[in-house]
Structures are given as C-alpha cells and as structure tokens.
Amino acid sequence: MLVVTTGIANAHECSAPIAPALFKQKFNHIVAMRSDQHRLEDARALVSRNCLLSRHVKQIALLFHDDRDRLEFAKAAYLTTFDKPHFYDVYDAFTHFSSAFRLHDYVLMHKTETHEIVPVTKPATILHEFPAYDYPSAVNYSEEKYCERPVQDRTFHGVVGKVIRQPNDVEKIKTATRYAAFNCLSVAQVMKIGSMIESESNRLIYLKTMFDNVYDMMNYGYCDQLFSSAEY
C-alpha cells in the first residue's frame, strides 16, 4: 500500500516538462508502431516517466484511430501533465462529445480526490493578424439576419487561437463549424477564420457550411476574396 501511494504521489510532481528534442524522438517512435495497441503501450510508458504539456498529450491522442484508445491514453497522461489548467485543449482530440465528457468527468473526479487547487486567471487576449481583405462591417447592418448578434472580438480571438492550433484544414473546419453551431459570427469573422484554411477547395467547403450561422448574410459575397481562382 505504501508503494502504491508513493507512486501516485510521485506522478504529480512535475518540476519541468519533457525536453522538445526528447519528446520528438519519443513521438516518432509512437508513430512508427503498427497498431493502436502498441501505440497505447508506448504512450503510457512515456507519460509514466515524463511530464508532458497539454499540447503534447493532444498531439499523441490524435494518433489513435478511435476515441476508446484516446480516452485511455488521456486518462493516463493527465496525472503527469505539466500544465493541467490547459488540459481542456485535449478534449478537442475526440471525435465524439461523449468521450470528451468522460474525460472531463475523470478530471473532475481526480481534482476532488486530490483536492487539487487550480488557480483561476484571466488569460490575456492574443490578437491575431489577418490578410488585408475588404472586410464588411456588421455594426449598422439592418438586412436579413441568421442569428442575433456576432460574438465579441475577445471571444472571437480565443476561437481563432483554437483553430490555428489544429494540424490540418479538416480539423480547422471541424473546430470552426462546431463553435459556430452554438455562436453567431459576422461575415468578417468568417472570412478571417477562412483565411487560415490553406486549400481553396477546403475554403469553399468551409464557407458553404458556415452560411447558415452568419449574422450579416447579405454581406456573404465579400467572401469571394478568399479565392484566387474564379472557379471557386
């Protein structure tokens, strides 16, 4: 019993995260595994001996093909995650909301059991730069609307940060459309997110998806600035 208790206590002592070069080496080794079962074994071994950052945990979680293995790994990784207040980013790795909720329940249970104190700090707003398009203003817009009012700039830039961190166009589109399903965006905000999508064909898919969630729908024609090809 003493050995088990000591092992659990040591799992929480993270004085520093894993070195970038070492993480890259270990990550590539996990990628090279032929099956998710072997990846899971290697990933568990990694987090049992090292403290990872939340972004490292998410990066490894995305290697698995189903949410079951992602959940098992994320649970194991939480105990030795260096920046636990940022662990919410790992939830974006899951395909189904139910899996993310299960991980959240695990995190809450762990915090309750260990009386973990998480400081509540107001993060600084990071202002992102975008291409110099002719962005329409929604301030005095009075024509047909699809939603009540666009989100505030502070909230919007927080969403932009999440989109930027996605590894490819598909994940960027998923993140943006998932957010827009419950929030209202202006055409200018839609354009700014669209500018972060590399492929023009993917930009077209994104814009078609976002149309039903935009505030100033009559300004949607401004979005043609996102394309260099007349075909799109």
Side-chain angles (χ1 to χ4, degrees):
M1 188 62 169
L2 177 60
V3 173
V4 173
T5 306
T6 304
I8 293 173
N10 288 338
H12 299 287
E13 296 174 3
C14 285
S15 58
I18 187 172
L22 180 58
F23 172 74
K24 184 176 181 181
Q25 176 188 351
K26 298 293 186 181
F27 178 79
N28 290 338
H29 190 269
I30 295 172
V31 171
M33 293 293 101
R34 295 184 178 180
S35 69
D36 275 1
Q37 181 59 39
H38 289 106
R39 288 193 186 95
L40 184 57
E41 291 172 1
D42 261 34
R44 277 175 167 168
L46 173 62
V47 299
S48 70
R49 304 186 188 101
N50 300 273
C51 293
L52 271 58
L53 295 172
S54 294
R55 59 185 175 86
H56 292 153
V57 177
K58 179 182 177 182
Q59 194 174 346
I60 294 175
L62 288 169
L63 295 177
F64 298 105
H65 292 92
D66 62 63
D67 278 357
R68 181 188 60 187
D69 292 327
R70 290 190 186 107
L71 182 58
E72 289 303 311
F73 165 68
K75 285 181 177 180
Y78 178 73
L79 297 177
T80 53
T81 296
F82 180 74
D83 55 339
K84 284 186 173 67
H86 296 155
F87 199 75
Y88 294 109
D89 291 340
V90 179
Y91 298 177
D92 292 336
F94 292 96
T95 305
H96 301 97
F97 286 120
S98 58
S99 300
F101 287 143
R102 288 188 178 95
L103 177 59
H104 186 59
D105 288 343
Y106 173 82
V107 170
L108 290 179
M109 179 186 68
H110 177 74
K111 287 179 179 178
T112 302
E113 289 178 350
T114 60
H115 305 288
E116 180 182 336
I117 299 175
V118 179
V120 178
T121 57
K122 192 174 183 180
T125 302
I126 300 175
L127 300 180
H128 302 275
E129 295 184 0
F130 304 97
Y133 295 138
D134 178 19
Y135 297 103
S137 172
V139 175
N140 296 316
Y141 181 80
S142 58
E143 298 181 73
E144 189 173 355
K145 305 170 185 175
Y146 271 174
C147 48
E148 187 176 353
R149 67 173 61 86
V151 296
Q152 296 181 351
D153 283 343
R154 179 186 177 87
T155 305
F156 171 70
H157 281 279
V159 178
V160 170
K162 290 183 179 180
V163 175
I164 288 176
R165 289 194 294 270
Q166 301 309 308
N168 54 54
D169 282 355
V170 173
E171 294 302 322
K172 287 177 182 177
I173 293 172
K174 282 183 181 179
T175 301
T177 54
R178 195 159 52 215
Y179 179 80
F182 301 99
N183 296 276
C184 186
L185 298 179
S186 67
V187 169
Q189 291 169 338
V190 169
M191 289 172 62
K192 289 173 181 178
I193 293 177
S195 70
M196 296 183 290
I197 299 172
E198 300 295 332
S199 163
E200 291 200 352
S201 60
N202 286 333
R203 287 185 180 183
L204 181 61
I205 293 171
Y206 160 75
L207 289 173
K208 286 181 176 180
T209 306
M210 296 292 285
F211 184 70
D212 290 337
N213 300 293
V214 75
Y215 173 74
D216 48 335
M217 58 174 289
M218 298 304 291
N219 287 332
Y220 219 66
Y222 282 79
C223 294
D224 64 5
Q225 298 173 81
L226 272 67
F227 304 107
S228 59
S229 169
E231 173 189 358
Y232 295 115

